[in-house]
Amino acid sequence: MNTSYKVKVNNTTEIDITKDAALALDTIEIAPSQFHILQNNHSFKAEITEGNFEKRAYQVKVNNNTYNINILNDLDVLIKQMGFEIGATKMVNDIKAPMPGLILDIIAKVGQEVKEDDALLILEAMKMENVLTSPRDGVIKSISVTKGDAVDKNQLLIKFE
């Protein structure tokens, strides 16, 4: 099985890179964090100018062009597949059910001002209680479900003003 890595370039373009393709690059380290790369008879000079190992975020200069690189791990990929985007929640004006389940409790009320990460409701799914929190500061415009409702994935739960 060939391992594949998802890489996001400049926070816009996602690329799948296989382990075999990465190992096939003809790479020579010419100085600390500086490399000469030969691929398909093309020569590249690359330098890692900044790096944050914990966040898997790097700034790489290739032939005098600078790129911001984020390496996505399996959890990042799973979160995206579930319909959640890290950072994209700030623009959200409604909350939809991330999975089918049962509404156990509704904590928020229409007209209530909420802060980011305030608990809004509890959704039971796969025998687990999931507390859905506010993605941003705002005011609750409407709540489309009641306690005890069964909901489908992507069903509208709460709208913000």
Side-chain angles (χ1 to χ4, degrees):
M1 183 171 100
N2 191 10
T3 305
S4 179
Y5 303 96
K6 283 214 180 281
V7 176
K8 191 175 259 190
V9 181
N10 291 337
N11 224 13
T12 57
T13 306
E14 275 191 22
I15 303 169
D16 285 322
I17 300 176
T18 64
K19 184 176 182 180
D20 289 346
L23 292 174
L25 290 174
D26 187 2
T27 307
I28 298 172
E29 186 172 9
I30 55 177
S33 298
Q34 294 183 3
F35 304 89
H36 181 265
I37 302 169
L38 189 61
Q39 181 189 27
N40 298 331
N41 296 323
H42 294 287
S43 178
F44 301 94
K45 180 182 176 190
E47 178 182 4
I48 301 171
T49 55
E50 292 181 29
N52 185 329
F53 181 76
E54 290 178 8
K55 292 186 177 181
R56 299 171 318 281
Y58 302 90
Q59 188 174 69
V60 180
K61 192 177 198 181
V62 179
N63 291 348
N64 293 320
N65 294 316
T66 302
Y67 302 95
N68 293 308
I69 308 292
N70 293 85
I71 301 170
L72 306 178
N73 64 17
D74 292 338
L75 179 59
D76 297 328
V77 173
L78 180 61
I79 287 170
K80 184 175 180 185
Q81 287 172 347
M82 290 178 65
F84 297 105
E85 288 279 356
I86 296 173
T89 56
K90 306 295 182 215
M91 305 281 214
V92 175
N93 288 323
D94 53 33
I95 295 177
K96 296 180 180 180
M99 61 194 85
L102 180 70
I103 303 296
L104 290 183
D105 194 13
I106 299 174
I107 301 161
K109 296 184 180 359
V110 174
Q112 178 181 347
E113 284 189 37
V114 294
K115 299 283 184 200
E116 183 176 353
D117 295 327
D118 282 354
L120 300 176
L121 57 87
I122 300 173
L123 174 71
E124 179 186 39
M126 298 182 288
K127 298 182 183 178
M128 292 179 59
E129 291 184 9
N130 302 283
V131 178
L132 299 183
T133 59
S134 178
R136 63 175 179 87
D137 294 354
V139 178
I140 304 296
K141 180 178 182 180
S142 66
I143 300 174
S144 303
V145 293
T146 59
K147 187 175 177 178
D149 283 356
V151 296
D152 294 321
K153 182 178 180 176
N154 292 326
Q155 181 176 333
L156 179 64
L157 303 175
I158 295 176
K159 276 193 162 221
F160 288 92
E161 287 184 0

